[in-house]
Amino acid sequence: MSGTLYGIGLGPGDPELMTLKAHRLIASAKVVAYPAPDTGESFARSIAAGTIPHTAREIPIVVPMRVDRFPAQEIYDKASEEIAAVLATGEDVVTLCEGDPFFYGSFMYLFERLSDRFAIEIVPGVTSLTACAAQLQRPLTSRNDVLTVIPGPLPDTEIEQKIAEAQAVAIMKVGRHLSRLRALLGRMGLLERAGYVERASLAEQKVHRLIDLEAETAPYFSMILIYKGDEAWTLPPSFSS
């Protein structure tokens, strides 16, 4: 019989935010796969590093970090076949995923290629969306308000339209788009209602009111949360810098 492919959500970065199920599966894994940059450490692996058995075989999926982060098809074709070869022997493969596997997660590319051949189990994780709300100490949304998640690289016209139609907004993948997004939200009169979080749950996290943020660019792992509905919660006055 073939092995099972597990897509394990690790949460936003703090190892203590891994679920018990994620911890159990990683701790007993014989084969562990994970996304990795072409230079530097794998963020996903760093989250689970204290749990991965030293005897486990590791399969890094090396994805070059470029401005356009959409993965090259051949990279996931190759990784899928390497993982498939292990699954075909009857061995399970535990794949580490930052956040949640199916919330902007690269695991979806493995799922697309392997789900018709092998059993796959998804273990959900704490998303960056909920982690950032927790650090801002403000609810994401309320009652019948509509929450809209917007990728920061979208054009201003699209972002403005989506914000106009929502009561609560999360702008992800802020990165190099920070100045442009801040200017857009300023034109829309929403700076006072916007909070900013980068590297949520990690030791180097930063939490600000967006209007107070002086930086011109942000890390890839950053987010802007806005509430513009009828029950607006004010941001706490004691944001750390």
Side-chain angles (χ1 to χ4, degrees):
M1 294 182 62
S2 299
T4 297
L5 175 62
Y6 291 92
I8 307 292
L10 300 172
D14 181 351
E16 290 190 335
L17 292 178
M18 285 195 296
T19 64
L20 291 173
K21 187 169 186 176
H23 188 281
R24 173 176 61 81
L25 289 168
I26 296 168
S28 61
K30 294 183 179 179
V31 183
V32 178
Y34 49 83
D38 47 358
T39 58
E41 183 182 24
S42 163
F43 181 42
R45 191 193 185 285
S46 72
I47 298 172
T51 308
I52 299 171
H54 72 277
T55 55
R57 172 188 171 188
E58 299 188 18
I59 303 176
I61 304 169
V62 179
V63 181
M65 296 293 103
R66 303 291 183 263
V67 171
D68 182 356
R69 287 178 59 95
F70 189 84
Q73 296 296 320
E74 59 269 18
I75 291 173
Y76 280 94
D77 288 343
K78 181 177 181 294
S80 295
E81 289 312 308
E82 186 173 359
I83 290 170
V86 176
L87 295 172
T89 68
E91 195 74 78
D92 296 339
V93 176
V94 167
T95 303
L96 308 179
C97 312
E98 303 150 5
D100 180 273
F102 278 175
F103 186 68
Y104 291 99
S106 60
F107 182 78
M108 68 181 71
Y109 305 115
L110 297 178
F111 183 87
E112 175 189 12
R113 289 161 171 77
L114 297 172
S115 59
D116 61 343
R117 290 188 279 163
F118 301 100
I120 298 182
E121 182 175 340
I122 309 299
V123 179
V126 175
T127 69
S128 57
L129 191 64
T130 50
C132 287
Q135 297 305 325
L136 280 169
Q137 296 190 356
R138 61 185 297 185
L140 277 171
T141 190
S142 175
R143 299 179 184 266
N144 294 324
D145 289 333
V146 174
L147 170 64
T148 297
V149 180
I150 303 172
L154 289 181
D156 282 6
T157 53
E158 289 189 39
I159 294 176
E160 187 169 359
Q161 180 181 352
K162 293 179 186 301
I163 290 176
E165 295 171 350
Q167 288 78 48
V169 177
I171 303 178
M172 300 183 61
K173 306 178 184 180
V174 174
R176 62 193 178 91
H177 306 282
L178 175 61
S179 293
R180 175 176 62 86
L181 293 169
R182 183 166 46 202
L184 171 62
L185 296 175
R187 294 194 299 272
M188 297 181 72
L190 292 174
L191 283 181
E192 291 284 355
R193 291 175 177 246
Y196 169 86
V197 183
E198 67 180 58
R199 298 189 173 96
S201 84
L202 297 173
E204 61 269 31
Q205 81 168 12
K206 294 183 180 179
V207 183
H208 295 276
R209 295 191 310 160
L210 185 60
I211 198 171
D212 296 332
L213 186 65
E214 296 180 356
E216 295 300 317
T217 60
Y220 180 78
F221 294 106
S222 55
M223 186 178 301
I224 295 169
L225 294 180
I226 305 160
Y227 184 75
K228 52 191 279 286
D230 294 331
E231 299 185 36
W233 302 279
T234 58
L235 295 175
S238 57
F239 275 179
S240 58
S241 58

